[in-house]
Amino acid sequence: ILTDSSGDVVLAQVPAQLSFQTSTLSNANPLRAFVSNDFYRAAPWFLRLALQVLYEKHSGFETDLKPYLDALPRSFDTPLHWNDAQMRALQYAPLQDDVRVQRASYERLFQQFVKARKAGAGADSVAYEEFVWALEVVRSRAFSGESELAPFKQRMQLVAAVISAALGVVSLGIVQPSDAFNGAGAAISSLLAFDLIYPRVLRATSTNDGGRDAALKRYVLCPVVDLFNHDCNADSDVSYEYFFDRFAVRVRRARERVLRKGEQVYISYGNQSNDQLLQYFGFVESANKFDTFVLADSFAEFLQRLLPPAANVQPALDMLQALNLDSRGRVVVRNPLLATAKRGGGGVVIDDVLDKSSAVALRAVVALIEESVQVSVGNLRLLSVAGAADSKREKTALAWLAHACNAALDAMPTTLAKDNATLKAALDLQSTDRAQTLALQFRIAKKTLLSTIIGSLSTTTTGAGAGAGVGVD
């Protein structure tokens, strides 16, 4: 900020034509001289933008985007480039697995690119390292938002064409003026109504699973906007100004306090966990309210770790398999304080801490083991609704979860206190090993999150027979 400011403050405005964009509403290939239509149309959003960056870089033309490309970082220090020892320093297998998948994915995409690229336009000179560089530029600097069907200027050009056509047929005496302008009015009204109604219909029928909802997405790599750093509590945001066809960064809540000269202004990159922030952006947010911890790759694996070795877990596994709850994805926990704050307080329930499908599965197992209730498809719906925070089933489920979090924390090779001391020493010595520093910051954040979750659950489960059935001392 250059001067003290209050109220809504516009920090930057960038014309849309000075950005790289792609949308899930369009499959048109703007790079037909660079790659095949089929390859571009099938590409995920981040690959489409990366291809646009590579094309611009190799086109040989001096465009308005050349200075932006020249100013981009030439290398990245994300875990994609770490060695095995640096990856092990994370003490967190889920991110190590994700990076392995990422590497394999990038290699596969490059091989597909080699087959789809066309001679000329520079595509044949793109090596794997440069291909990955473009992908990292996009993954670390692009943002997304809702997409309009067409920019306002484009719609106005179409409206002008409709009016011109109406004037033309009238001047030629083909139709009566009233008929021509009634037809033009109907066409314009239908066009504008479609622009307004169609996106809302898609949102109303959205599955929120990346299906229909994804049809409204726009992905953008934009100069200036990508210079803003991230804060999950940021008061500012990026928006698309439809009538001016430009992107803007503005502080929405500056009226609540004065922004001081020299103060750094942040934007939010979205509800990103530290796994995503480190993997794609190359940093860790120490007080990240959206951070998560993966306890297991599936609920079946989670259950086998949770129950004592002598326990007969097979009936529970059979029930979960019959209900299709045994392998619905990772078991993920988060800070329950975020959910309880949203609803204005109250006791913690399992849905505040655990992902939805795992919460249902855990209630089903508690009902079977602790209450001898055989859960079926018919009564599964009842377990999808959180019980009262002080109910016996909810307290037992939370006690089991607290035990699992304690076990995950104890399984880590170093303690939180030791990691904090190691990080302090590294910072005091001004260590240049960024990977080591990031790994320390990452595992400190994960251990802090687990400790916070355990502390939140301890008050809820006190006196509820915590640990029953799971062998807690």
Side-chain angles (χ1 to χ4, degrees), residues 446-469:
K446 292 299 179 184
K447 292 169 187 177
T448 301
L449 173 63
L450 283 177
S451 299
T452 300
I453 292 172
I454 293 166
S456 299
L457 298 182
S458 63
T459 55
T460 303
T461 58
T462 301

Side-chain angles (χ1 to χ4, degrees), residues 34 54 64 67 89 99 173 211 223 233 267 324 342 368 379 385 450 459:
F34 198 67
L54 290 170
D64 292 335
V99 172
N233 297 305
I267 62 174
N324 193 29
K342 280 185 177 180
L368 176 68
N379 59 10
V385 181
L450 283 177
T459 55

